[in-house]
Amino acid sequence: MSEGQKQIILTGDRPTGRLHLGHYVGSLKRRVELQNSGKFDEINILIADDQALTDNADNPGKIRENIINVVLDYLSVGLDPEKTTICVQSALPALHALTFYYLNLVTTARLSRNPTVKAEIQMRGFADEGLPAGFFTYPVSQAADITAFDATVVPVGEDQLPMIEQTREIVEKFNKTYGETLVLPKAMIPENETQRRLPGVDGKAKMSKSLGNCIYLSDDAKTVKKQVNGKMFTDPQHLRIEDPGHTEGNVVFTYLDALCTDEHFVRYLPDYANLEEMKEHYRRGGLGDGTTKKFLISVLNDILDPIRTVRAHWENDIDTVYDIIQTGTAKAVERTNATLARVRKAMRINYFEDRSIVKEWERLLREAKQ
Ligand code: ATP
Ligand code: MG
């Protein structure tokens, strides 16, 4: 199939809050690199507002508010609307139709096995309160998002691997049932292990908007300092500077693993050539948390400063931002409608594409009479 040969990216985010460092290392940074590599025929980024409603049905205002925050974060990190289509999920009707068809190709038993969804159900208290069917089935809607764009590559954090696996199963089932129609996508996760799932400042498993343990891309320098100095989990056994310390599970070092380069040492901490040397000193004893945190703050601001500058520009031009997502969404409507037409044809439910079915029905009626 010709679409299969094109290199197409689809990825996105739920507009449930501003984007944070976890998003940056897990997905955003990669997106910008891929965008600028020139190796892709199409890059599509979806603001998944419908998916965000599956666990925020009582608070659509929160989603509405965060659409602008997420787009500003995109533009600030260097996503370029000339090269990348930014679109809003709820305005793409083809996605709803595809979801409806795909729901018939998965079992509830299969959906129950998704480890990410299982963890999220616990985290959101749905195990006690009752589980919204929409939330339970959101991996199916994600399969619709990915396949609607004929995506071959999906750059995401590690927590999304079960979603891509589920999508691949749906694609295989669809193609087996209705003939080769959908493109089989591949997940692309960061090579750096720490970047795949950045923990929160509190050391909890994942930095997450819903857990309130984030450093946001839009945080100012004062807030970053407060988060690092006030909240960041280090090594509880490292009481005096001369004590030997642990770097494993120490969030300051985890963040440095994900973010710092040798260049940062040249600039901000020339006592060490690289992170390994600094870690060795910490493990030996004699290196205090004050120094490690100060270095981390410098690294963070080094990364965040250019993002803040671009953000300030776009914040003053929300009219243009509106045009960007309106244009992107209009393009995505066409794109995804074309896939839906292909799907309906494969499923033989394209009744109103032309009148050929009239002849078919007439023939069937004739045959039934014979
Ligand atoms: P929510 O709590 O509302 O689910 P979230 O912070 O998990 O929000 P999503 O919008 O669900 O963010 O995720 C968007 C993308 O960012 C996904 O590709 C996901 O894998 C990635 N991502 C989110 N958090 C992290 C993290 N802490 N480390 C690495 N990647 C992450
Ligand atoms: Mg999430």
Side-chain angles (χ1 to χ4, degrees):
M1 195 168 54
S2 64
E3 285 89 349
Q5 282 127 34
K6 280 193 173 177
Q7 286 300 308
I8 298 175
I9 290 178
L10 180 278
T11 182
D13 305 272
R14 294 152 40 93
T16 49
R18 293 175 289 146
L19 299 183
H20 53 63
L21 276 180
H23 299 116
Y24 181 72
V25 296
S27 178
L28 286 177
K29 193 164 161 271
R30 191 57 156 302
R31 291 181 206 175
V32 177
E33 287 161 10
L34 296 174
Q35 168 194 272
N36 296 338
S37 75
K39 288 190 185 144
F40 289 85
D41 297 289
E42 257 184 56
I43 304 180
N44 302 288
I45 305 215
L46 184 75
I47 301 173
D49 61 331
D50 280 338
Q51 192 193 115
L53 278 172
T54 64
D55 57 335
N56 290 281
D58 56 348
N59 199 358
K62 172 174 152 189
I63 313 300
R64 189 176 164 91
E65 175 186 340
N66 280 303
I67 289 178
I68 187 64
N69 285 326
V70 169
V71 187
L72 285 172
D73 285 324
Y74 287 167
L75 298 171
S76 307
V77 298
L79 287 173
D80 174 358
E82 295 288 321
K83 300 179 186 156
T84 294
T85 304
I86 302 174
C87 57
V88 177
Q89 188 183 33
S90 59
L92 308 178
L95 302 185
H96 305 139
L98 290 175
T99 303
F100 206 58
Y101 303 140
Y102 296 171
L103 278 168
N104 304 324
L105 304 177
V106 290
T107 63
T108 54
R110 172 64 184 87
L111 287 172
S112 304
R113 284 199 302 272
N114 185 314
T116 299
V117 177
K118 265 194 202 165
E120 289 174 340
I121 287 171
Q122 287 304 327
M123 207 175 90
R124 285 159 174 76
F126 289 153
D128 307 319
E129 290 166 19
L131 174 59
F135 188 82
F136 180 60
T137 54
Y138 88 72
V140 180
S141 97
Q142 236 173 283
D145 305 338
I146 295 168
T147 55
F149 288 89
D150 296 317
T152 50
V153 178
V154 190
V156 281
E158 193 179 54
D159 63 311
Q160 294 300 307
L161 287 179
M163 314 307 166
I164 313 301
E165 195 44 47
Q166 176 73 81
T167 301
R168 290 172 61 89
E169 285 174 31
I170 290 174
V171 167
E172 275 161 0
K173 182 89 190 263
F174 189 100
N175 288 347
K176 203 166 147 231
T177 312
Y178 305 111
E180 278 298 314
T181 311
L182 299 174
V183 176
L184 197 63
K186 261 202 218 96
M188 184 188 264
I189 61 170
E191 277 141 37
N192 175 319
E193 238 174 88
T194 320
Q195 295 183 346
R196 294 178 189 167
R197 185 184 293 255
L198 195 73
V201 288
D202 54 359
K204 290 239 173 73
K206 179 174 165 284
M207 182 179 283
S208 163
K209 292 173 239 148
S210 307
L211 291 175
N213 56 7
C214 306
I215 292 177
Y216 293 100
L217 298 178
S218 48
D219 279 345
D220 60 15
K222 206 172 126 203
T223 311
V224 168
K225 195 169 168 187
K226 213 165 95 192
Q227 288 287 69
V228 175
N229 286 336
K231 289 209 189 142
M232 198 163 277
F233 185 84
T234 55
D235 173 8
Q237 287 160 38
H238 185 240
L239 296 175
R240 290 168 306 171
I241 292 184
E242 56 276 21
D243 288 340
H246 294 87
T247 53
E248 294 291 307
N250 181 325
V251 183
V252 175
F253 283 100
T254 310
Y255 282 25
L256 289 175
D257 270 330
L259 295 163
C260 87
T261 61
D262 294 354
E263 182 57 34
H264 287 129
F265 282 96
V266 175
R267 235 177 294 159
Y268 305 113
L269 197 58
D271 294 356
Y272 311 100
N274 54 42
L275 185 56
E276 211 29 62
E277 275 188 30
M278 185 187 177
K279 280 184 177 173
E280 268 164 32
H281 192 186
Y282 192 84
R283 287 191 206 110
R284 256 194 338 263
L287 175 57
D289 287 332
T291 308
T292 60
K293 285 187 169 180
K294 187 161 174 252
F295 177 57
L296 175 62
I297 291 170
S298 303
V299 171
L300 289 173
N301 285 325
D302 187 69
I303 294 167
L304 295 176
D305 273 338
I307 298 177
R308 290 173 184 139
T309 308
V310 183
R311 189 179 176 96
H313 160 82
W314 286 110
E315 273 180 352
N316 286 316
D317 194 4
I318 299 302
D319 252 320
T320 305
V321 178
Y322 180 89
D323 292 339
I324 288 170
I325 53 174
Q326 191 183 39
T327 308
T329 303
K331 198 168 154 197
V333 167
E334 300 290 313
R335 182 74 182 82
T336 53
N337 278 350
T339 307
L340 178 61
R342 209 169 76 226
V343 159
R344 287 195 166 137
K345 191 168 185 177
M347 294 175 72
R348 310 201 65 223
I349 56 173
N350 55 335
Y351 315 117
F352 303 110
E353 207 172 77
D354 55 48
R355 300 184 70 90
S356 61
I357 197 169
V358 172
K359 291 265 170 299
E360 189 180 327
W361 281 337
E362 285 169 351
R363 178 175 54 78
L364 287 170
L365 287 170
R366 250 191 336 267
E367 281 170 12
K369 278 195 190 129
Q370 278 163 14

